[in-house]
Amino acid sequence: MIRQAYFYEGEDHIDDEYIKTIARRCASCARDFGCSYCTNCQFNPAQFVEFNRAKMLRTAFYIKNQERIGYHSKPSAGEHSEPSSGEAFLKFLALCAGLLIIILAVKNNIDTTRYPYSAPASTYNKQVQPVKKGKSNTSLKNVEREVQRVLYKIHDNIRDVNRDGEINCQDYCLLFCDYYSTAQIVYNQYIGDSGHVFIRVHTDDGWLYIEPQNTNNYYARNAWYKDIYPTVKEYNKIVPLEWIQ
């Protein structure tokens, strides 16, 4: 048996039709009547009439709506509704699963690139074997030993190599290159009054920058320009022998 709800206008409710319109709109909301959202909702009939009367009107229209569109219908577009806690939890799990899949895919791609599965075992072992330092002619230890020997020889034989009437950094560099065939001359315009030249040689650990005028503490970073070298070393420039000959 379907129960019908009837509304009767009283003499003290001359605006009943307007209240009913508001209550009908309120009844289409999926939230429970009297929730925190209702406090500032413009379609809350309790803002215009006594609460129990507003609730009665809203409930009556809610029942009529359910009879017309069915109990399980969803709120229409534009209605204020919030997902249930169960729906929010499922969405959260789906998001976590998606992120996990992406992370695993990226990790697998990195591992595959770094250690290709198609590489033979012998090749893989060769790749991961560390280089044994000290046996190469260009190991840091061997290069330092050879540089020290050359520096002593330069200081025993220093002269005006480029015949410009002076003995300066250019002559030390030219003589160093005579005794160390793979050495390169480095020029930095910000060292000294008019620039400065010094030496670099290659090692298994990288380039070794040398001040050939020193026999002790001959690293460029320890030379007389050590205070400014860290800030100007980016301007180091390799120049040919002919540039200072």
Side-chain angles (χ1 to χ4, degrees):
M1 177 179 178
I2 299 176
R3 300 181 64 181
Q4 298 291 337
Y6 299 94
F7 305 106
Y8 298 94
E9 298 181 12
E11 293 180 357
D12 56 341
H13 296 294
I14 59 176
D15 294 328
D16 271 3
E17 286 302 321
Y18 301 106
I19 299 301
K20 292 175 183 178
T21 300
I22 295 173
R24 185 181 296 108
R25 175 64 176 78
C26 178
S28 64
C29 179
R31 293 184 174 87
D32 294 333
F33 185 67
C35 68
S36 59
Y37 183 82
C38 294
T39 303
N40 298 316
C41 180
Q42 61 179 329
F43 300 114
N44 180 8
Q47 295 193 32
F48 308 99
V49 297
E50 188 269 332
F51 180 81
N52 288 333
R53 176 173 171 76
K55 184 174 182 180
M56 178 196 69
L57 290 171
R58 198 265 191 185
T59 303
F61 281 114
Y62 181 79
I63 293 173
K64 293 184 67 174
N65 287 344
Q66 297 305 311
E67 292 174 350
R68 184 176 68 254
I69 64 176
Y71 181 77
H72 295 289
S73 63
K74 297 180 180 179
S76 59
E79 298 290 337
H80 295 288
S81 62
E82 295 180 346
S84 65
S85 59
E87 292 176 345
F89 182 70
L90 289 177
K91 290 181 179 179
F92 174 77
L93 287 180
L95 178 61
C96 292
L99 290 175
L100 181 60
I101 291 174
I102 293 174
I103 292 172
L104 291 176
V106 172
K107 183 179 183 300
N108 181 67
N109 183 62
I110 293 175
D111 291 342
T112 302
T113 304
R114 186 178 299 174
Y115 306 115
Y117 296 115
S118 58
S122 58
T123 304
Y124 175 81
N125 291 334
K126 290 180 181 179
Q127 289 175 347
V128 298
Q129 287 178 351
V131 176
K132 295 182 179 179
K133 298 179 181 180
K135 293 185 177 181
S136 170
N137 290 332
T138 54
S139 68
L140 179 60
K141 184 177 180 180
N142 286 343
V143 170
E144 286 180 329
R145 185 184 298 112
E146 179 63 16
V147 166
Q148 187 70 75
R149 185 190 68 80
V150 170
L151 290 176
Y152 283 130
K153 189 173 182 180
I154 290 173
H155 283 260
D156 290 339
N157 297 278
I158 189 62
R159 63 184 184 278
D160 184 8
V161 180
N162 59 359
R163 300 179 181 179
D164 61 353
E166 298 179 355
I167 296 179
N168 52 30
C169 58
Q170 299 179 15
D171 301 297
Y172 280 90
C173 287
L174 290 172
L175 205 54
F176 192 101
C177 291
D178 284 345
Y179 299 144
Y180 201 114
S181 61
T182 59
Q184 295 180 348
I185 298 176
V186 182
Y187 170 70
N188 191 307
Q189 60 179 326
Y190 296 105
I191 300 177
D193 296 332
S194 57
H196 182 63
V197 289
F198 48 102
I199 293 293
R200 79 172 187 177
V201 294
H202 187 264
T203 75
D204 292 341
D205 295 331
W207 291 101
L208 180 63
Y209 290 81
I210 299 167
E211 175 51 61
Q213 298 183 62
N214 293 355
T215 54
N216 296 315
N217 294 325
Y218 53 79
Y219 281 94
R221 63 175 181 266
N222 297 324
W224 53 268
Y225 43 85
K226 63 183 178 180
D227 292 337
I228 66 169
Y229 186 70
T231 61
V232 301
K233 64 181 181 180
E234 61 180 301
Y235 301 102
N236 288 346
K237 178 182 177 182
I238 307 303
V239 295
L241 287 174
E242 296 77 17
W243 197 73
I244 57 175
Q245 281 179 338

